[in-house]
Amino acid sequence: LGHVKIPLLSLERDLAEICGRASEYAVTLVDGYQFDAGYFTALHRVSRCLAIVDDQGLLDFYDGDFIINQNPVAPELTYATSAKTTRLLGPDYALLREEFIEARSLPAPKIRHDFLVTMGGSDPDNACEKILHAFERSTLAASRIVVVAGALNSHFETLGIQAAQSRHQITVLHHSNHMSQLMREAKVAITASGSTCWELCCLGVPFITVVLAENQRLNAESLHRNGIAPTLGMVPDINETILTVAINQQLNPGAQGWNLVDGLGASRIAGALETFCLL
């Protein structure tokens, strides 16, 4: 598999650049929200194998050899495709880093903090601040909280000030290369409703979701509906009452996603692509 990273100056230029290189590789894999049906059709014509990562199913037609969607609601979405297109849908195809696959088999660690809060790489709406305010006003006893502010999070300094003034014991980290360890050492994690959810499921860590964008809503609703993880809703909806109720739900043993994600998704996808390329 080749990986080509091209600055997206325009969709037309991007398509021309990719089409000019696609035939050099066994598989062309595309992941993004900016592509339309015509983009995929043009790219499919020149690709030996085109795999499309998509989590919405909104286009009129998906012209590719594979559709990949790791979310639980994926099998319910209507994908308009050719009869030859292979659909790899659901958490069986969750794409996790090796770190989480290896950590899944480790003995249970000692709990070192009560809550882990992580909103991904940037958190532009500063959901972390809202969550910490809700902790402050909640009826929860003083707790040990670790906040991981992603590498692109511009609120790191203000979060540090907020943590220093809290009645809780709060540690704010600016990015971490040991997320699996931090997750496993927490009683409960609070996370955005994206791919971090599947990492937490794989490790069997109880968690609560926050919806940062519309494309995360279906994930959060599905996890909530199926008893995997309650949700605090959209960022403006976060308050101390919702937070306390959600935490009490997740402190109840059994409310975990261990059986939802086994960590073998990347291997299954690689195997399917390899089989296709050998045909």
Side-chain angles (χ1 to χ4, degrees):
L1 300 180
H3 178 206
V4 179
K5 186 174 182 180
I6 297 173
L8 185 59
L9 301 178
S10 72
L11 198 59
E12 292 78 13
R13 179 172 175 179
D14 178 271
L15 179 59
E17 293 276 2
I18 296 293
C19 285
R21 301 178 184 223
S23 63
E24 301 173 18
Y25 299 96
V27 176
T28 303
L29 190 146
V30 182
D31 181 5
Y33 294 107
Q34 68 269 40
F35 308 115
D36 57 21
Y39 183 102
F40 292 131
T41 296
L43 187 53
H44 195 202
R45 291 194 189 106
V46 297
S47 298
R48 295 161 66 183
C49 170
L50 177 61
I52 302 169
V53 178
D54 177 88
D55 61 7
Q56 297 186 98
L58 299 179
L59 297 183
D60 293 334
F61 189 70
Y62 288 84
D63 192 352
D65 300 296
F66 289 87
I67 294 289
I68 302 169
N69 185 338
Q70 63 187 346
N71 299 323
V73 297
E76 302 170 21
L77 300 180
T78 302
Y79 280 104
T81 67
S82 160
K84 296 181 180 179
T85 301
T86 299
R87 305 180 183 197
L88 306 179
L89 308 179
D92 280 349
Y93 301 98
L95 290 160
L96 303 184
R97 301 197 304 272
E98 194 68 29
E99 168 190 354
F100 298 96
I101 300 168
E102 293 174 354
R104 180 178 169 92
S105 62
L106 296 176
K110 179 181 179 181
I111 298 296
R112 299 185 185 276
H113 41 273
D114 300 299
F115 303 103
L116 172 68
V117 180
T118 173
M119 293 295 128
S122 59
D123 191 15
D125 296 325
N126 206 2
C128 287
E129 180 185 45
K130 289 272 295 185
I131 291 167
L132 293 183
H133 275 311
F135 266 111
E136 211 63 40
R137 297 189 299 265
S138 73
T139 58
L140 296 166
S143 305
R144 297 162 298 170
I145 303 170
V146 172
V147 178
V148 179
L152 301 178
N153 192 314
S154 60
H155 309 288
F156 177 71
E157 292 185 4
T158 57
L159 288 172
I161 295 171
Q162 186 179 4
Q165 299 170 345
S166 175
R167 67 184 177 89
H168 300 285
Q169 180 184 327
I170 302 176
T171 302
V172 181
L173 304 176
H174 205 180
H175 184 59
S176 173
N177 292 318
H178 307 286
M179 283 303 296
S180 63
Q181 180 178 342
L182 290 173
M183 289 176 179
R184 296 173 72 245
E185 292 176 348
K187 289 181 182 177
V188 176
I190 303 175
T191 179
S193 308
S195 57
T196 304
C197 294
W198 319 134
E199 296 166 358
L200 291 161
C201 283
C202 182
L203 299 179
V205 180
F207 65 99
I208 296 162
T209 68
V210 174
V211 181
L212 300 186
E214 187 59 34
N215 59 18
Q216 295 182 353
R217 186 184 295 278
L218 288 177
N219 268 351
E221 291 175 351
S222 175
L223 291 167
H224 182 86
R225 184 172 60 250
N226 291 291
I228 302 297
T231 184
L232 303 181
M234 298 292 288
V235 175
D237 299 330
I238 299 171
N239 62 56
E240 61 273 20
T241 301
I242 295 174
L243 176 69
T244 302
V245 170
I247 286 173
N248 287 337
Q249 281 181 258
Q250 282 303 62
L251 290 176
N252 176 29
Q256 299 181 15
W258 176 266
N259 294 322
L260 188 66
V261 178
D262 62 9
L264 301 178
S267 295
R268 293 188 180 99
I269 292 172
L273 296 176
E274 184 178 22
T275 298
F276 180 91
C277 292
L278 292 175
L279 293 177

